[in-house]
Amino acid sequence: MKVNGTPTRTIWQAADGQAVEIIDQTKLPHALEIVRLTGLAEAAHAISAMLVRGAPLIGATAAYGMWLAMREDASDSGLSIAHDTLYATRPTAVNLRWALDAARARLSTLTPNDRVDAALALAQEICEEDVAINQGIGTSGLPIIEAIAARKADGQPVNILTHCNAGWLATVDWGTATAPIYMAHDAGIPVHVWVDETRPRNQGASLTAWELGNHGVPHTVIVDNAGGHYMQHGMVDMVITGTDRTTAAGDVCNKIGTYLKALAAKDNSVPFYVGLPSPTIDWTIEDGVRDVPIEERSADEVKHMTGRLDTGDIATVLITPEDSPAANPAFDVTPARLVTGLITERGIAEPSVEGLLSLFPERRAA
Ligand code: MRU
């Protein structure tokens, strides 16, 4: 998508061919800084410290991390260390496991001499596939927005609420939840996005608002607690979120707070959709509440907030009593019964085993 009018992706091979470059998302929205990753340790740090984040981008970065690692040590033990180091970075987004397992499966059949080039080729494939998948999600989801727009009085925008950042910054390009929104906007359909701030890391306020603004999509940042109120007052036509892992039965694990939005949507008959790329489906589990590992992050993220002072300096401040303990589960699970539809690159699935299998019939045999 566009930054200052220039089409931009979140990750790419550096022009000199010697490194991977990423946008450092911890610096947004106040600065657009590009960071160069040259080795396994830097790639692992970029994921765990959330310079990159969002399930698809975590997977893509891990794939590039395997390339960087193979340049350092392409032996069998180097392959296994690289896989395990990257796998330990963040536990919830299943795209990480998906990308790393794909890399290990492909590279382990090759001699060490061939592994560097093959790892790079796979990372590039995963990135291109991500872009195509997200475009597919956009194409699948666009008719939902068109149908709502057709029921509205002339010129009235379709009001869409989203949580966290499931935009292009969370992927290689387009985003998942945002792909139908960008397509609708680009097609001239008036849309307006309610952007949940998404405490504690504020991916909505910092990232979603930044990218929507850069692409010219009308939006309003709201505190996480406001969505239910707007739904009660008929000011939300639909919710679209992303997902970090959706089970074979359609339970949706996503950023903490998503579940509360789904409950409010159900109570107010607001359709609740999820942008779901197929690599985010965990076909090995059905019960998301029981079986998805939920990342517990540092209490410091809850106890502090970071922002820009009027001087232009970036500052981090304590917002709780110094000694108060804090807990920080990073994700929650929205049961399938609260989900209206899963918007995939192959169409919209009913959130159930049968619904997903009908779009991915090759999984019946698996
Ligand atoms: O902790 P984050 O920022 O990696 O969490 C991201 C989310 O929860 C996104 O909604 C999800 O990964 C979908 S991204 C297309």
Side-chain angles (χ1 to χ4, degrees):
M1 306 308 291
K2 289 187 192 144
V3 178
N4 300 327
T6 307
T8 309
R9 287 187 173 184
T10 52
I11 189 165
W12 59 91
Q13 187 184 15
D16 63 10
Q18 296 308 308
V20 179
E21 288 180 345
I22 56 165
I23 296 173
D24 180 352
Q25 299 192 21
T26 65
K27 300 288 181 359
L28 291 171
H30 305 301
L32 178 61
E33 286 183 15
I34 307 304
V35 167
R36 202 173 149 87
L37 309 176
T38 56
L40 171 62
E42 287 177 5
H45 174 261
I47 299 172
S48 59
M50 295 179 65
L51 278 69
V52 290
R53 29 65 52 202
L57 182 56
I58 288 171
T61 309
Y64 268 120
M66 291 298 285
W67 169 54
L68 299 176
M70 289 304 93
R71 297 191 318 177
E72 294 168 340
D73 178 2
S75 67
D76 286 353
S77 76
L79 181 56
S80 142
I81 288 168
H83 178 281
D84 296 353
T85 303
L86 291 162
Y87 188 66
T89 50
R90 293 196 72 191
T92 301
V94 77
N95 304 58
L96 179 66
R97 182 181 80 195
W98 169 82
L100 290 172
D101 288 354
R104 184 166 60 185
R106 191 177 292 185
L107 302 181
S108 58
T109 61
L110 304 174
T111 61
N113 278 345
D114 291 332
R115 285 177 181 164
V116 176
D117 288 349
L120 176 60
L122 179 64
Q124 289 168 336
E125 257 171 55
I126 283 177
C127 288
E128 293 311 317
E129 188 189 0
D130 179 66
V131 176
I133 285 174
N134 299 333
Q135 276 182 306
I137 290 172
T139 307
S140 300
L142 178 59
I144 301 171
I145 300 177
E146 285 172 333
I148 296 172
R151 295 197 296 268
K152 294 235 154 196
D154 253 6
Q156 286 304 301
V158 177
N159 286 300
I160 303 169
L161 184 140
T162 193
H163 190 68
C164 191
N165 173 262
W168 70 266
L169 288 168
T171 65
V172 177
D173 205 354
W174 281 102
T176 56
T178 53
I181 298 173
Y182 285 127
M183 284 189 188
H185 172 79
D186 290 353
I189 297 170
V191 291
H192 165 262
V193 184
W194 296 111
V195 177
D196 281 354
E197 63 175 346
T198 320
R199 278 280 289 150
R201 289 192 65 106
N202 297 314
Q203 289 95 329
S206 300
L207 304 178
T208 306
W210 181 82
E211 64 166 80
L212 290 174
N214 268 294
H215 201 75
V217 180
H219 62 280
T220 306
V221 179
I222 54 176
V223 297
D224 290 324
N225 299 325
H229 164 75
Y230 285 125
M231 290 184 208
Q232 282 177 325
H233 288 268
M235 294 167 76
V236 180
D237 295 304
M238 66 186 295
V239 178
I240 316 184
T241 73
T243 170
D244 289 81
R245 188 183 301 227
T246 288
T247 71
D251 286 353
V252 172
C253 179
N254 192 50
K255 180 53 55 192
I256 192 75
T258 303
Y259 172 48
L260 292 177
K261 292 297 137 70
L263 285 171
K266 187 77 170 180
D267 194 45
N268 291 284
S269 303
V270 172
F272 183 96
Y273 287 97
V274 174
L276 170 64
S278 55
T280 309
I281 304 170
D282 186 344
W283 296 99
T284 69
I285 56 173
E286 290 192 5
D287 185 334
V289 175
R290 190 187 62 197
D291 292 333
V292 176
I294 301 295
E295 176 180 14
E296 182 74 30
R297 293 188 61 87
S298 166
D300 286 347
E301 293 182 350
V302 177
K303 296 182 67 169
H304 296 84
M305 284 189 85
T306 298
R308 191 177 67 189
L309 304 174
D310 289 344
T311 59
D313 294 332
I314 302 298
T316 298
V317 295
L318 179 69
I319 59 166
T320 63
E322 196 138 21
D323 297 333
S324 287
N328 188 10
F331 301 94
D332 61 25
V333 174
T334 297
R337 65 188 152 75
L338 298 178
V339 177
T340 308
L342 301 166
I343 309 174
T344 79
E345 69 270 24
R346 292 195 191 171
I348 299 170
E350 185 188 293
S352 64
V353 172
E354 221 13 74
L356 279 169
L357 285 176
S358 69
L359 287 187
F360 298 93
E362 69 275 21
R363 285 282 161 180
R364 283 188 196 279

